[in-house]
Amino acid sequence: MTVLGIIALTMLACVVLGAPIAVLARERHEGWGALSADAAVFGYLVLMLLPTVFAWWGAVPLALLAAGWVVLVVLAVRRRALPPRLALDRRSRWFWGGAAVVAVVTVVPRVDSVNFLPWLGDMGAYINWANQFARTGDLSSSWPPLLPAYLGLNSAVFGFEHVASGLAVSGLVLARPVASTRPRQGRQPLMGLAVSGIVAVHVHAIWYSTFPSSETLNAPLFVIWVLTAYTALRSPRPIGPVLLNALAMVALGLLRGTGPLLLVPLIALAICSFVVPDFRAMRRSVWMLVAGNLVAAVLGFWYGITEIRRYYVETQLTNLLPDAVMSLVGGRLGLFDPTATTAAVLVVVCAAAVLAAVLIARRPVVESRATRIPGILGIVVAAVLTAGVIATAIGGTSLWNIALRLGLVLLIIGIVTIVAATRSSDDAALVATVLMLGTTITMFYGLQTVRLGLLSDHSFFLYWDRYAVSEILPALLLLLGIGLELVRRRFATAENLRRRVPAALLTAPALLGVGALAMVLVALPQQQNLRLMLADSYMRGAYELQVDLNASVEREQVPVVWASTSTATVPGFFFPNTWMAFARPMQISYGFEVLRLAGRDNFGRDEVLDLAAVESSLACSPTGRILVHEVRNGGEGLGDRIDDPSVSVRLDETVSGSMSLLSQPPGAGWQEVAFTVDVWIVEAADAVDAECVR
C-alpha cells in the first residue's frame, strides 16, 4: 500500500472511531464540515490510546472500550443531531473550494514515511520497539508507551516498511483544533481556514508530522487538550468535554514525562475561579477539569513508576523536581516506589479531587462579574513571557535560536493576543483559555531554556526544536487563531474602518486571497528549509539496506556477528558505530540471534574480530556455523585476517546501500552515506574449545 493510501485509511479510521463522539458533542450551528473534522480529531485521540491500552492491560479492557463505543453509536443515533442537508450557496462553494486547496497543501508535503529503522537516537528506539511489539505482541519500551504502541499498530497492519507512515495523520489533525479554539459565537469559517492554511505550510508543523518522535503526537494531543478544556469551560453541561479532556491528559501522560505539568495552569485557573469575579460562573467546570486531569495524570504516574522506572523516576522526575522534593517524596516518603502505600496515597488524592469537584458542582452557580483583573493577569503573563524571551535573546540561548526558526512574528502575535484577548473579550471561557495558554508557553519556555542551555548543532535536522514543537508552537498557533478572530470582530464593529475598505475586499474570494497571502508570507522566510524537506526523505534507503542485510540471515538461519574492518567511524556517518544502526534492528525488530551485543555501550566502537572472538561466537552456535556481517571501512577483511585451519571463512555475498541524512544547521544539504558490508560464512572445522560470548 502507498503512503497516501495509508494516510487515507488511517484518517478514515479516525473519522469512524470519533463519529459518535462528534455527533454527541455537536453544537446546533455546526455543519457537516465541522462534524467530520471533529470526528477525525476525537477519533485520533481514541486511536492513539487503543494500542497502549492493549499493551498495558491486554484484550479485556480493549473489548470494554469497544462495547463503550457501540453504546456511543446507539446514543448518537438516538439523538438524531446530524446537520441539515448540505446546501451550497455562493459563499459556501468558495469555502469548500478553499478547504480543498488547504487540504491538498496540507497533505502533499506530509506524504512521507521516515522509517528510522537504524537504532540511532530516540527515533530508532521507538521504531524498533514498535516492530518488536508487532512481532511478539509484547511492548518492551523503556520510555512512555504511547508512541511505540501506536507505531506498533501501524507495523502490524502495514508492515515494517510502513511503520511510521500513519504519523502524517498527526499533521492533518493538528490544523482542525487550532482553527476551532477561537471565540465560538459568530465565528468566520474563512478565518479558520486561513489559520489551518498557516499550519499547513509551517516548516516545523510539516517536519514533525512524519518524524518519529514523541513531539509529533504531543502537538495535536496538546491542542485537543486545550480545545476540550475550552469547550468544558463554556458549556452548561461540561461532563462530556471534561471526560474527553481527561482522555487527552491520559494520552499526554503516557506519551512524555512532561504531560502532567499542564496541571499547573489548570490549578492556577481553579484558584482564580474563587478570587476573580469574572471566572466564578466557570468554577464548577474548572474543578471538574482539575479532578479529571489529576486522575489522568495519576494513571501516567503509576505507569511510570511501575513499568519504566529508570526513565520516569531517575531521569524525568529527577530533572524536573528540586532536589529537596525528590529527597522528601521519593526518599523519606517512598512515594516514587510502586508500593501499596503509594497506591493508597494516590487513591486518596484522586478521591479527594473528585469529591471536591462533586461538592462544588452541587453548589448553586455563582454569577460572574466583569472586572479588570483578567486584563491585569494577561499583562502580567505577557510581561513575564516577554522578559524571558528578551533574556534568552541577550544570552544567545538555544531556545532563542529555536524561537527565531519557529517565527519571531508568531511569538510577538502570541504575546499581543494574550494582552488583547484578556482585556477586550467578553467570552470568559476564552479569556481563561488564553491565560492558560500564556502560562503554558511561559512555563515551557523557561523549562526548555534551562534544559537546552546553549546547544545548537545536531546531527538530526531541527532536532532540538522538538522541545518547542510539543507545547510552545501549538500554543502560539492557537493564540494566532484567537488573535485573528478578535481582529476580525474589531473590524466588523468599527464602522469608520469598514467605510474605508472597499466592499470587494470583504467578499469570500478576497478573504480567501488574504488567507493565501498569509500562507505565502509564512512559507517565504522558510523556503530554503521547505525546499530541503521536499527534496528527499530522512533515512531514505536505510530500510532497503536492512532488508538486504537480513536476507542471508533468513536464508542461513544461524547466529550473526556484526563487525567492521576498523574501529573508525564510517566516512560521512555521524554515529560512532554501525552495529547500533544495523545489528540492533536485526535483534529487536526481526528477532534474529545477534551475538556480542550484550552489555555494550550504545556509543561503543565497532568491533574488529580476531580468532578468539570468532571462536567464542562459534561456541554459541549449535551447528558450529555463524554469519559475520563486516562493514568495509579500511583495513583487511575477515578472510585475510583469519588464517587458521580450525576455522573456515568464506565470503558469501557483498551488500551495498546508503541512507540520506540532513543535519542542523542544514547548510551542507542532504548527505548520502554509503555502506558496503561483506557477509562471511564462518564454520568450525572441529569442536570449538571456547566459551560462548553473547
Side-chain angles (χ1 to χ4, degrees):
M1 182 177 287
T2 64
V3 175
L4 184 59
I6 291 171
I7 294 171
L9 190 60
T10 307
M11 182 60 78
L12 178 62
C14 290
V15 171
V16 171
L17 286 172
I21 304 173
V23 171
L24 292 172
R26 174 182 172 264
E27 299 186 17
R28 292 186 178 276
H29 65 277
E30 293 180 329
W32 285 102
L35 179 65
S36 57
D38 285 345
V41 169
F42 296 140
Y44 173 84
L45 174 59
V46 174
L47 184 62
M48 292 302 106
L49 285 167
L50 290 180
T52 297
V53 170
F54 174 76
W56 192 6
W57 288 322
V60 173
L62 208 60
L64 294 175
L65 287 176
W69 181 81
V70 172
V71 172
L72 290 177
V73 170
V74 173
L75 293 175
V77 171
R78 293 185 61 183
R79 188 187 179 198
R80 297 182 179 181
L82 295 178
R85 185 176 179 179
L86 188 63
L88 292 178
D89 55 21
R90 179 180 174 82
R91 194 173 186 86
S92 296
R93 284 195 294 270
W94 278 106
F95 169 78
W96 285 106
V101 172
V102 170
V104 171
V105 173
T106 305
V107 170
V108 168
R110 292 167 172 82
V111 181
D112 191 12
S113 181
V114 181
N115 196 333
F116 222 111
L117 189 58
W119 191 305
L120 308 172
D122 301 1
M123 296 68 63
Y126 284 129
I127 293 292
N128 282 276
W129 285 328
N131 289 335
Q132 184 185 44
F133 180 39
R135 178 173 59 83
T136 66
D138 293 324
L139 183 63
S140 59
S141 169
S142 301
W143 300 330
L146 200 81
L147 178 58
Y150 172 65
L151 292 174
L153 174 64
N154 283 265
S155 183
V157 175
F158 304 118
F160 286 9
E161 181 180 3
H162 294 294
V163 58
S165 297
L167 281 176
V169 172
S170 300
L172 306 183
V173 167
L174 176 63
R176 165 59 184 170
V178 164
S180 295
T181 311
R182 298 178 293 127
R184 286 274 176 161
Q185 301 302 318
R187 273 190 325 199
Q188 170 56 261
L190 294 174
M191 193 65 71
L193 209 56
V195 177
S196 297
I198 291 171
V199 176
V201 298
H202 196 283
V203 162
H204 291 76
I206 295 173
W207 185 255
Y208 281 97
S209 292
T210 57
F211 203 64
S213 68
S214 59
E215 291 76 15
T216 296
L217 302 189
N218 198 100
L221 287 173
F222 168 74
V223 176
I224 293 171
W225 181 83
V226 175
L227 172 64
T228 50
Y230 170 52
T231 306
L233 291 175
R234 53 180 293 276
S235 174
R237 301 176 65 183
I239 185 64
V242 166
L243 291 175
L244 289 171
N245 182 264
L247 279 181
M249 176 53 74
V250 170
L252 289 166
L254 293 173
L255 177 64
R256 301 179 76 234
T258 54
L261 288 177
L262 295 175
L263 278 166
V264 173
L266 199 55
I267 291 174
L269 180 60
I271 296 171
C272 287
S273 69
F274 282 105
V275 299
V276 179
D278 307 70
F279 300 152
R280 286 174 182 168
M282 296 186 298
R283 188 179 301 164
R284 179 176 61 174
S285 299
V286 173
W287 282 92
M288 289 175 69
L289 286 169
V290 170
N293 276 262
L294 189 60
V295 173
V298 162
L299 278 176
F301 176 81
W302 187 255
Y303 186 95
I305 65 173
T306 57
E307 305 292 332
I308 50 172
R309 178 177 179 79
R310 182 177 178 182
Y311 163 87
Y312 193 79
V313 177
E314 299 176 17
T315 301
Q316 289 296 311
L317 293 181
T318 300
N319 290 335
L320 287 173
L321 297 177
D323 293 341
V325 175
M326 283 296 299
S327 177
L328 174 62
V329 180
R332 291 176 57 188
L333 300 180
L335 295 182
F336 294 153
D337 298 319
T339 62
T341 301
T342 301
V345 170
L346 294 177
V347 169
V348 169
V349 170
C350 291
V354 172
L355 179 61
V358 170
L359 293 176
I360 291 173
R362 296 186 65 178
R363 298 179 63 182
V365 176
V366 181
E367 290 189 6
S368 295
R369 176 169 55 85
T371 68
R372 295 182 179 180
I373 297 178
I376 296 172
L377 292 175
I379 292 173
V380 170
V381 171
V384 173
L385 177 56
T386 302
V389 172
I390 293 174
T392 57
I394 295 172
T397 65
S398 179
L399 197 63
W400 166 249
N401 295 322
I402 292 172
L404 292 177
R405 289 194 290 270
L406 291 178
L408 189 57
V409 173
L410 193 62
L411 187 57
I412 293 171
I413 290 174
I415 293 172
V416 172
T417 299
I418 293 171
V419 176
T422 52
R423 292 186 63 190
S424 61
S425 178
D426 57 356
D427 184 345
L430 181 72
V431 172
T433 303
V434 168
L435 286 173
M436 283 202 301
L437 288 171
T439 305
T440 300
I441 295 172
T442 305
M443 177 174 63
F444 279 99
Y445 199 95
L447 173 65
Q448 307 303 5
T449 295
V450 173
R451 170 180 278 181
L452 296 177
L454 299 176
L455 295 172
S456 56
D457 295 353
H458 199 277
S459 301
F460 302 144
F461 179 57
L462 298 179
Y463 182 77
W464 296 123
D465 298 38
R466 65 196 182 112
Y467 290 107
V469 168
S470 52
E471 290 91 10
I472 295 174
L473 176 61
L476 289 174
L477 291 171
L478 288 168
L479 289 173
L480 172 66
I482 294 169
L484 289 176
E485 184 64 26
L486 291 176
V487 169
R488 186 197 68 81
R489 289 192 177 191
R490 181 68 180 269
F491 177 81
T493 56
E495 291 291 338
N496 57 335
L497 291 177
R498 291 172 61 190
R499 283 196 298 266
R500 297 176 185 176
V501 178
L505 294 180
L506 301 179
T507 61
L511 292 175
L512 286 175
V514 172
L517 178 61
M519 293 169 64
V520 171
L521 291 176
V522 170
L524 275 178
Q526 310 174 83
Q527 58 178 313
Q528 181 181 359
N529 284 342
L530 280 171
R531 285 201 303 267
L532 273 174
M533 287 164 49
L534 298 176
D536 206 339
S537 177
Y538 209 85
M539 287 288 168
R540 179 182 54 80
Y543 172 78
E544 290 77 12
L545 176 56
Q546 185 73 61
V547 169
D548 292 342
L549 292 169
N550 292 347
S552 59
V553 188
E554 294 172 345
R555 182 174 64 249
E556 298 295 332
Q557 294 294 308
V558 294
V560 187
V561 176
W562 188 272
S564 178
T565 58
S566 80
T567 59
T569 302
V570 171
F573 195 41
F574 66 89
F575 208 72
N577 63 58
T578 58
W579 65 267
M580 279 292 291
F582 301 108
R584 187 69 81 188
M586 282 185 183
Q587 181 186 57
I588 303 300
S589 283
Y590 294 91
F592 298 137
E593 184 180 5
V594 185
L595 304 174
R596 307 187 69 81
L597 297 187
R600 292 182 68 175
D601 177 17
N602 290 350
F603 299 95
R605 296 288 179 171
D606 284 324
E607 184 178 16
V608 179
L609 296 182
D610 56 17
L611 180 60
V614 169
E615 290 179 336
S616 63
S617 300
L618 285 168
C620 302
S621 174
T623 62
R625 195 167 187 245
I626 62 171
L627 285 175
V628 175
H629 285 66
E630 186 178 56
V631 179
R632 288 187 188 176
N633 192 23
E636 292 183 322
L638 186 69
D640 296 324
R641 296 196 314 275
I642 305 296
D643 184 15
D644 191 280
S646 66
V647 176
S648 167
V649 180
R650 176 171 57 88
L651 181 64
D652 181 50
E653 63 175 336
T654 298
V655 178
S656 297
S658 64
M659 66 174 70
S660 296
L661 301 173
L662 185 64
S663 63
Q664 179 64 41
W670 286 98
Q671 301 294 304
E672 190 167 307
V673 181
F675 300 89
T676 300
V677 181
D678 290 327
V679 180
W680 303 89
I681 295 179
V682 182
E683 296 181 89
D686 300 305
V688 178
D689 185 19
E691 184 178 351
C692 169
V693 176
R694 296 189 178 276

